[in-house]
């Protein structure tokens, strides 16, 4: 597997797309072991995607696109402005609150970052926010979106790690609120030091907020409906994804009445492009990861790490470093698919709850979209806002530190995250 990993990293460095890099590198494991049937190479990508639970991934991606085109986004922006616009650094705080609200709709940090860069970015620049700071705030606050259900990363983690997706979704609500609080504190401190302006002079009245809540209630209650339907056994995770698509279409056509047949077709095309890219990488990861259990890498790594330490914090420190490094070079979905089977035995050995580990994984791995050299969201926001890489890197330091500290906090006080899933599902 060492040769396979080296070849994979080489292809990434020379610019080969991640999906092709995974598939081609995985072939070399079969070249090293000619006794393995080559027909397996063809079967693996197909079998990897033949999972009923995994069906939730394309369905939730499509549902997120539908939510964005149904008129929900514009209403959430209005509500976010009323909730946080009066604070110091108002537009930056609006970005934090909006990402939190969007978490229950799209579950995609990349989509959230792109949307906010186009809508909030120009307004922040007009209010004299530095370009680098604007890009970093919009990028890092988008991490909240993938933490709150329905996050695609949690579905993949639950599928590969055999962990209850319902528990992961429930835990994600509290972790998303903690992320929101940490980001708002970071923005508040930096905005006060650098004297950033407020977005609106007066605090919104309760009547204004109540009016906006009434308009956005269909989006805000969706995570609760999602978790409730899973807990009551009304739907499986994949069925909830299908329900989310129908729900978004009903809201767009019959409640807000902003979705048209033309916009539905355009949304479908956009979703197909996103789903195709993600599912191709998932299918190719099967070839790459085939040798991991064959070479007993999880067991060997567990034995190696636990031979010199049994401290949860030391082990998780190593995991954090692995996640950050891998996240710098490949999509978070692939990191979860490749590393979860390797790290899960270690996690269980040192006594960390798999649900807690899943939440931390979702946060730290997703941060890879904001780090060079291949951070997708980083390039999106920098491209839209015309930001130099050096300026972006300098402004990102405090937010990078805060995300790591959030991961440490969740590890140190696990009951904060596990309280809600234990309450809903039992211990």
């Amino acid at each position: 597997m060492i040769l396979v990993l080296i070849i994979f990293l080489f292809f990434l460095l020379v610019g080969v797309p991640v999906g092709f890099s995974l598939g081609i590198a995985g072939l070399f494991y079969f070249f090293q072991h000619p006794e393995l049937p080559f027909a397996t190479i063809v079967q693996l990508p197909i079998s990897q995607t033949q999972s009923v639970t995994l069906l939730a991934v394309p369905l939730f991606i499509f549902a997120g696109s539908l939510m964005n085109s149904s008129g929900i986004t514009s209403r959430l922006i209005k509500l976010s402005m009323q909730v946080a616009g009066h604070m110091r650094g108002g537009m930056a705080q609006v970005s934090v609150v909006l990402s939190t609200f969007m978490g229950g709709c799209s579950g995609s940090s990349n989509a959230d970052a792109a949307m906010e860069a186009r809508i909030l970015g120009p307004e922040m620049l007009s209010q004299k926010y530095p370009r680098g700071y604007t890009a970093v705030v919009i990028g890092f606050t988008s991490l909240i979106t993938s933490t709150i259900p329905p996050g695609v990363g949690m579905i993949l983690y639950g599928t590969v790690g055999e962990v209850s997706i319902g528990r992961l979704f429930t835990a994600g609500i509290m972790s998303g609120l903690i992320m929101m609080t940490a980001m708002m504190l970071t923005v508040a401190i930096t905005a006060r030091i650098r004297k950033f302006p407020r977005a609106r002079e007066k605090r919104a009245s309760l009547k204004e907020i109540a009016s906006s809540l009434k308009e956005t209630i269909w989006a805000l209650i969706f995570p609760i409906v999602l978790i409730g339907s899973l807990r009551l056994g009304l739907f499986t995770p994949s069925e909830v994804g299908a329900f989310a698509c129908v729900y978004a279409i009903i809201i767009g056509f019959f409640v807000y009445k902003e979705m048209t047949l033309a916009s539905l077709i355009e949304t479908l095309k956009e979703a197909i492009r996103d789903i195709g890219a993600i599912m191709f990488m998932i299918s190719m990861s099967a070839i790459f990861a085939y040798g991991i259990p064959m070479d007993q890498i999880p067991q060997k790594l567990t034995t190696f790490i636990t031979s010199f330490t049994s401290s949860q914090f030391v082990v998780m420190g190593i995991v954090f470093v692995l996640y950050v490094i891998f996240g710098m070079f490949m999509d978070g979905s692939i990191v979860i698919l490749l590393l979860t089977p390797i790290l899960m035995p270690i996690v269980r050995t040192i006594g960390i709850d798999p649900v807690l580990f899943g939440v931390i994984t979702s946060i730290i791995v997703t941060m890879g979209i904001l780090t060079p050299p291949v951070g997708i969201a980083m390039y999106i926001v920098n491209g839209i806002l015309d930001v130099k890489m050096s300026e972006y890197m300098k402004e990102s330091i405090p937010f990078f530190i805060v995300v790591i500290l959030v991961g440490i906090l969740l590890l140190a006080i696990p009951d904060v995250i596990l309280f809600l899933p234990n309450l809903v599902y039992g211990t």
Side-chain angles (χ1 to χ4, degrees):
M1 280 302 296
I2 294 178
L3 176 62
V4 173
L5 180 61
I6 291 172
I7 293 171
F8 171 64
L9 293 176
F10 170 77
F11 280 123
L12 282 183
L13 291 174
V14 298
V16 178
V18 175
F20 289 104
S21 298
L22 286 167
I24 296 170
L27 291 177
F28 281 84
Y29 185 81
F30 289 85
F31 295 152
Q32 287 180 289
H33 299 81
E35 71 277 6
L36 294 174
F38 272 74
T40 305
I41 299 172
V42 180
Q43 296 168 354
L44 285 172
I46 299 172
S47 61
Q48 177 81 335
T49 55
Q50 301 305 300
S51 166
V52 175
T53 305
L54 198 61
L55 183 61
V57 173
L59 287 172
F60 274 121
I61 292 173
F62 183 37
S65 299
L66 288 170
M67 291 271 191
N68 286 337
S69 62
S70 66
I72 287 175
T73 302
S74 59
R75 289 167 173 80
L76 289 178
I77 292 172
K78 178 182 176 183
L79 177 60
S80 302
M81 181 67 74
Q82 291 173 342
V83 170
H86 64 280
M87 299 177 182
R88 174 69 68 180
M91 288 304 300
Q93 297 286 17
V94 167
S95 175
V96 179
V97 176
L98 179 58
S99 293
T100 306
F101 288 153
M102 289 300 296
C105 300
S106 72
S108 169
S109 293
N110 287 326
D112 180 67
M115 179 271 293
E116 291 192 23
R118 291 188 178 95
I119 296 175
L120 302 184
E123 181 62 27
M124 290 181 70
L125 295 178
S126 70
Q127 294 184 20
K128 308 302 181 184
Y129 285 83
R131 287 185 180 274
Y133 183 87
T134 301
V136 166
V137 166
I138 289 174
F140 273 83
T141 57
S142 73
L143 297 180
I144 305 171
T145 302
S146 60
T147 307
I148 295 176
V152 171
M154 288 192 179
I155 299 172
L156 292 174
Y157 171 85
T159 303
V160 176
E162 299 181 349
V163 180
S164 166
I165 293 175
R167 283 183 175 273
L168 289 167
F169 279 175
T170 310
I173 292 178
M174 186 56 71
S175 65
L177 295 176
I178 292 173
M179 279 282 288
M180 180 192 75
T181 303
M183 289 294 178
M184 291 187 79
L185 285 172
T186 307
V187 168
I189 293 170
T190 54
R192 186 168 295 277
I193 292 173
R194 303 172 72 169
K195 296 181 172 58
F196 292 142
R198 305 174 193 274
R200 52 184 294 164
E201 291 301 319
K202 295 182 179 180
R203 185 191 299 264
S205 67
L206 291 177
K207 185 177 180 180
E208 287 178 299
I209 295 176
S211 176
S212 291
L213 278 172
K214 184 179 179 181
E215 292 181 355
T216 57
I217 191 65
W218 298 105
L220 299 178
I221 66 171
F222 178 66
I224 300 172
V225 173
L226 185 154
I227 292 170
S229 61
L230 284 172
R231 178 64 186 93
L232 295 174
L234 299 177
F235 300 118
T236 64
S238 53
E239 290 169 343
V240 169
F243 167 75
C245 296
V246 175
Y247 182 90
I249 290 173
I250 291 174
I251 297 302
F253 275 107
F254 303 108
V255 179
Y256 294 149
K257 300 179 180 178
E258 293 188 13
M259 187 177 287
T260 64
L261 185 59
S263 66
L264 176 60
I265 293 174
E266 188 59 35
T267 300
L268 181 60
K269 291 179 180 178
E270 175 188 319
I272 288 173
R273 286 194 296 268
D274 294 340
I275 292 168
I278 291 175
M279 296 307 292
F280 178 69
M281 288 190 291
I282 290 174
S283 64
M284 289 297 102
S285 70
I287 301 175
F288 181 88
Y290 183 75
I292 292 175
M294 298 284 287
D295 289 352
Q296 296 186 322
I297 291 177
Q299 295 86 339
K300 292 176 181 177
L301 190 60
T302 300
T303 302
F304 172 72
I305 292 179
T306 55
S307 65
F308 66 86
T309 181
S310 58
S311 168
Q312 291 185 350
F313 282 96
V314 174
V315 173
M316 287 304 295
I318 297 171
V319 171
F320 278 19
V321 172
L322 282 175
Y323 277 158
V324 171
I325 293 174
F326 273 78
M328 290 171 64
F329 292 97
M330 65 184 81
D331 184 82
S333 300
I334 300 303
V335 177
I336 291 173
L337 286 169
L338 295 182
L339 293 188
T340 298
I342 297 175
L343 298 176
M344 188 60 78
I346 302 175
V347 169
R348 296 186 187 278
T349 300
I350 62 176
I352 295 178
D353 190 286
V355 174
L356 175 65
F357 183 66
V359 171
I360 295 174
T361 294
S362 180
I363 294 172
I364 304 299
V365 166
T366 307
M367 189 172 62
I369 66 175
L370 297 163
T371 55
V374 293
I376 298 173
M378 175 187 69
Y379 288 119
I380 289 173
V381 294
N382 284 354
I384 293 173
L385 300 173
D386 191 25
V387 179
K388 295 180 180 178
M389 183 61 70
S390 58
E391 186 179 358
Y392 172 89
M393 293 301 297
K394 183 180 72 173
E395 296 281 7
S396 68
I397 293 173
F399 289 88
F400 180 88
I401 293 172
V402 166
V403 174
I404 297 297
L405 289 177
V406 168
I408 295 172
L409 175 67
L410 300 184
L411 182 63
I413 318 175
D415 289 341
V416 174
I417 294 298
L418 299 177
F419 168 76
L420 197 55
N422 287 342
L423 179 67
V424 175
Y425 288 88
T427 55

